[in-house]
Amino acid sequence: MIEVQKLTKRYGETLAVDGLSFQVRPGRVTGFLGPNGAGKSTTMRAMIGLDRPSSGQVLIDGKRYEQIAQPLRKVGALLEAKALHGGRTAYGHLLGLARSNRIPPSRVGEVLETVGLSATAKKRAGGFSLGMAQRLGVAAALLGDPEVLLFDEPVNGLDPEGILWIRELMKKLAGEGRTVFVSSHLMSEMALTAEHLIVIGQGRLLADTTVEDFIARNSRSYIHIRTPEPERMRDVLAGDGIRTEKGPEGVLEALGTTLETVGKLASKHQVTVYEISPRTASLEEAFMQLTADAVDFRADLEVR
Amino acid sequence: MSDTGAAVAFEWTKIRTLRSTVWSLALFSAASVVVALLFGYVMRGTYADLDAAAQARFDPVASGFSGMKLGMIALVVFGVLTVSSEYSTGSIRSSLAAVPRRGVFYAAKLLTGTATALVVSAVVVTLSFFAAQTMLGSPASVSLSDDGVLRALIGGVLYMTLICAFSMGLASVLRSSALTMGILVPLFFMISTILNSIPGVQKVAQFLPDLAGSLILRSKEPHGDGVLTAWTGMAVLAAWAVLAVAAGYFAMRRRDA
């Protein structure tokens, strides 16, 4: 179990993480979702003590990462694929990590087998593709057979086969009762792997919920209405108790109603319409909607 | 303390699984001994032609170490690379995930790096000395039991080890190979020599780390207006090394990886 407690991280003027609190429970894949620059990586770096929090803390089974003896046996982290020296072989890289936490060297061969790198174990990692480096990073995370696994954007650089592989791996690890925490900036990716979601934007918590609940609450259905008389149409719908929102390019979006109702009302009040159609916002749109403010604010900051 | 032992094993594995660190140590050894051999060979022929005053000034021990002062570049590269390559490649993040206690990590790195430098230097100093003396032959050569010779040999090992520790400390502060080497190479191989040959500046220049420490490399007292002796010079170098290592420790503790 991971407990993030009022975590705040400041880089000079920039507030990367702002009083963030949440918990990650074992036995399921928890997705960590947010647009680029939302503070996901900073939060994960703070989890393993690479970044010192400005205030607050992260506890893993009640201990700060630095307090854990032989931390690789407790927590495995893939934060960035290229966190290794390109001059070292895959085997050499893992051997050093194994020695640092008194993990038997025989374990190196096992994890290389697991990630499918046995054949390239004696090759220097500098020549690895991003996908191979990512697999080596996964091998390093699995080395100590840890209860807690952190993956920061693990599908980056993987081919479709690799993506499928890592999704299955994460589900399998969670199925074994481990705590699996995986970040992504893609909602669609999370929908496929995660059961639970932590959504952040601008360093703050936006949602802490199950994926099912998140989808139900955020995927919005509406009737898309294109008309030269949007004001009249809106009044007509309002007269029937139907709420509307302004869509892009003068389009009206009627919520909580049916195609038939809107058609009948338009005909009855003789409003010209060019198009009436049912629409469902995709999960990705729902996520963008949720984090829109955060993204806008960040873009502002960067311009300044 | 068991985790420090594991952290040392980690650092040692990192040293021996990289070609660059292994090669820099090999280069240090080869350059030192080969130049010592060449030097002895050349001096054997010219020694007899020197006048009495020049023969008296000739220091066979210090001269035999001239190869080591060249090979020192490679040892400095070794010290700097063991630290800065972690930052330039990003492997520091794997390393600190494995050994999150910064003090333990830093101590293990310094300990392993300087111990390696100590062992390699002991071999190189001994080989350089015997190589130079064998090539020199009598009457120019000296033996181990002569005045100041053993001191110079022990001092040579300490000198190389402390220079390596100094380099590692500075690299921990600067975190960049290019920047650290950009300071150390001119400092050790140009600035010291230039400043030391300007009469007025020499009084200050002798306190530079490499100049202060290198006083012990000779078996005869140096000429010139230096106030440092072999052992006080060594103490000055040690102080520089302690300063650099301490600064590196604070940088390691305070900054994010």
Side-chain angles (χ1 to χ4, degrees):
Chain A
M1 161 119 118
I2 309 170
E3 292 167 86
V4 177
Q5 299 175 339
K6 292 181 181 157
L7 183 70
T8 298
K9 178 66 188 182
R10 221 175 253 288
Y11 296 108
E13 293 279 293
T14 316
L15 196 57
V17 178
D18 184 6
L20 191 59
S21 295
F22 62 87
Q23 295 183 346
V24 186
R25 291 177 196 287
R28 65 188 184 193
V29 177
T30 300
F32 191 29
L33 192 61
N36 288 329
K40 299 188 298 292
S41 294
T42 304
T43 304
M44 295 181 98
R45 289 163 55 83
M47 285 178 170
I48 59 167
L50 292 180
D51 279 4
R52 299 284 157 101
S54 305
S55 65
Q57 61 179 355
V58 180
L59 297 182
I60 294 168
D61 284 352
K63 281 183 179 173
R64 282 191 294 113
Y65 189 78
E66 301 89 270
Q67 296 168 329
I68 304 171
Q70 302 184 334
L72 295 186
R73 290 168 176 268
K74 183 87 180 174
V75 183
L78 165 70
L79 294 199
E80 55 194 294
K82 294 283 184 180
L84 51 85
H85 196 303
R88 227 169 247 129
T89 63
Y91 182 84
H93 172 65
L94 295 175
L95 181 66
L97 292 175
R99 292 234 191 277
S100 71
N101 278 242
R102 300 192 188 279
I103 295 162
S106 61
R107 184 71 191 144
V108 173
E110 289 173 29
V111 292
L112 281 168
E113 184 78 47
T114 307
V115 302
L117 284 180
S118 299
T120 40
K122 301 285 180 188
K123 293 237 168 71
R124 296 206 281 165
F128 280 17
S129 67
L130 185 54
M132 285 163 81
Q134 203 73 282
R135 283 172 184 264
L136 181 53
V138 173
L142 296 175
L143 195 61
D145 195 20
E147 294 158 40
V148 177
L149 286 134
L150 311 175
F151 296 107
D152 194 5
E153 305 269 359
V155 301
N156 270 4
L158 290 180
D159 53 16
E161 187 204 351
I163 292 174
L164 216 59
W165 168 75
I166 199 139
R167 279 183 199 147
E168 291 310 310
L169 177 72
M170 288 192 290
K171 284 181 188 164
K172 182 176 149 267
L173 292 166
E176 292 165 357
R178 300 175 210 256
T179 306
V180 181
F181 190 54
V182 53
S183 80
S184 176
H185 60 281
L186 295 174
M187 179 64 213
S188 51
E189 181 58 38
M190 291 289 90
L192 288 168
T193 41
E195 282 174 67
H196 199 86
L197 272 188
I198 307 285
V199 186
I200 66 167
Q202 203 194 313
R204 293 204 197 98
L205 189 69
L206 297 178
D208 179 350
T209 174
T210 63
V211 172
E212 255 174 43
D213 187 53
F214 182 81
I215 292 171
R217 198 175 311 163
N218 290 288
S219 49
R220 205 171 58 110
S221 296
Y222 59 93
I223 308 297
H224 171 98
I225 309 164
R226 206 149 61 82
T227 165
E229 306 169 273
E231 278 83 20
R232 260 199 73 212
M233 188 74 221
R234 194 180 58 216
D235 292 343
V236 164
L237 291 170
D240 211 48
I242 298 166
R243 203 159 61 84
T244 53
E245 280 176 8
K246 272 190 195 159
E249 294 164 26
V251 160
L252 278 183
E253 297 174 358
L255 302 164
T257 184
T258 62
L259 194 60
E260 290 77 8
T261 314
V262 174
K264 279 179 194 158
L265 282 170
S267 154
K268 188 173 150 195
H269 293 91
Q270 296 191 317
V271 186
T272 311
V273 290
Y274 301 147
E275 182 190 358
I276 315 178
S277 57
R279 296 283 171 91
T280 304
S282 73
L283 217 47
E284 213 64 55
E285 284 175 80
F287 165 55
M288 304 247 276
Q289 192 75 36
L290 181 65
T291 57
D293 298 339
V295 175
D296 284 348
F297 181 69
R298 195 152 288 274
D300 258 11
L301 260 187
E302 277 163 16
V303 169
R304 234 172 350 122
Chain B
M1 284 326 267
S2 71
D3 51 354
T4 308
V8 167
F10 183 25
E11 292 302 325
W12 174 240
T13 309
K14 282 193 281 186
I15 287 174
R16 70 178 181 78
T17 53
L18 264 195
R19 288 187 198 173
S20 50
T21 44
V22 173
W23 275 105
S24 55
L25 290 175
L27 191 65
F28 164 56
S29 315
S32 306
V33 178
V34 168
V35 174
L37 281 169
L38 278 174
F39 169 82
Y41 179 75
V42 171
M43 273 317 284
R44 180 210 284 270
T46 47
Y47 183 77
D49 302 334
L50 296 175
D51 59 38
Q55 283 189 352
R57 268 205 313 276
F58 175 69
D59 189 328
V61 177
S63 308
F65 284 157
S66 49
M68 221 166 59
K69 296 199 79 176
L70 178 73
M72 193 173 93
I73 302 179
L75 185 69
V76 169
V77 167
F78 163 78
V80 169
L81 278 187
T82 53
V83 176
S84 61
S85 74
E86 293 247 22
Y87 292 96
S88 60
T89 61
S91 64
I92 185 72
R93 290 182 274 280
S94 302
S95 298
L96 284 179
V99 185
R101 288 167 62 198
R102 305 283 175 96
V104 173
F105 176 77
Y106 188 66
K109 190 173 268 305
L110 255 298
L111 213 66
T112 313
T114 47
T116 306
L118 180 82
V119 171
V120 175
S121 300
V123 174
V124 169
V125 164
T126 311
L127 284 178
S128 295
F129 173 77
F130 285 110
Q133 303 315 316
T134 307
M135 292 310 273
L136 269 174
S138 74
S141 67
V142 289
S143 74
L144 266 184
S145 53
D146 286 334
D147 259 4
V149 171
L150 201 58
R151 185 188 68 182
L153 262 60
I154 293 168
V157 176
L158 283 177
Y159 174 70
M160 289 296 160
T161 307
L162 287 172
I163 286 284
C164 185
F166 177 77
S167 307
M168 290 181 81
L170 190 67
S172 303
V173 177
L174 301 176
R175 294 187 168 191
S176 148
S177 317
L179 190 58
T180 315
M181 293 308 294
I183 289 173
L184 289 181
V185 170
L187 174 67
F188 290 161
F189 301 100
M190 287 150 61
I191 296 174
S192 292
T193 319
I194 294 167
L195 292 186
N196 202 35
S197 55
I198 304 171
V201 183
Q202 200 187 1
K203 280 204 172 81
V204 184
Q206 62 178 326
F207 286 94
L208 287 171
D210 60 322
L211 287 180
S214 67
L215 290 174
I216 209 166
L217 297 180
R218 32 179 71 248
S219 59
K220 296 181 181 173
E221 286 308 314
H223 39 89
D225 58 355
V227 294
L228 293 176
T229 63
W231 288 112
T232 52
M234 185 55 61
V236 169
L237 171 59
W240 278 102
V242 167
L243 198 70
V245 168
Y249 173 73
F250 286 117
M252 174 68 68
R253 285 297 298 255
R254 254 194 52 241
R255 288 154 66 181
D256 291 331

